[in-house]
Amino acid sequence: MLKTILFIAIGGAIGSVLRFLTTVLVSKFWSNQFPLATFIANVIGCFLIGLIIGILTKNQLGESNLKWFLVTGFCGGFTTFSAFGIENYNLFQSNNSLLAFGYIASSILLGLFAIWFGFLVSK
C-alpha cells in the first residue's frame, strides 16, 4: 500500500508541476478571458488517460504500479478532468448513458453552486 501511495505521489507531483508550466507557457502567448491553459490541460489530460489506459489494458497491466503512477498520479495531478472524462466514457461504454448525462450535468451545476456557496460562506 505504501509503495502504491509513493507511485501516486510522485506521478501527481510531476503532473501538478507540468500543469503549472502549462499555465505559465500559455499565459505568455494568450491574455484573453477564455481559460485556455485549463482547457488545454483538460483536453491533453483526457487524451493521455485514454491512451495510457488503452495501452495498459492491451498489455494486461491494468492493475500495475505503472497505472497508479501514470493514471492516478500523473493524470490526476495534471487535471482531475481526465478522471471525470474516463468515468463518463466508462458509463457510456456500459450503456449507462442516462447516468453519464446525469453525472455530467450534476457535476457541472453542483460544482458551480458549491463555488458560489463557498464564496458566500467565506464572506
Side-chain angles (χ1 to χ4, degrees), residues 48-112:
L48 288 175
I49 203 168
L51 178 69
I52 293 165
I53 289 175
I55 290 170
L56 291 176
T57 301
K58 184 173 75 173
N59 292 294
Q60 299 173 345
L61 296 169
E63 295 304 317
S64 67
N65 287 327
L66 201 52
K67 178 188 174 192
W68 298 118
F69 175 76
L70 291 172
V71 174
T72 306
F74 178 79
C75 288
F78 189 64
T79 172
T80 57
F81 192 77
S82 59
F84 177 73
I86 195 69
E87 289 165 350
N88 279 293
Y89 176 82
N90 289 335
L91 286 171
F92 283 119
Q93 288 298 308
S94 62
N95 294 319
N96 287 312
S97 298
L98 188 61
L99 186 57
F101 285 122
Y103 179 39
I104 292 166
S106 62
S107 293
I108 292 169
L109 295 174
L110 289 173
L112 291 171

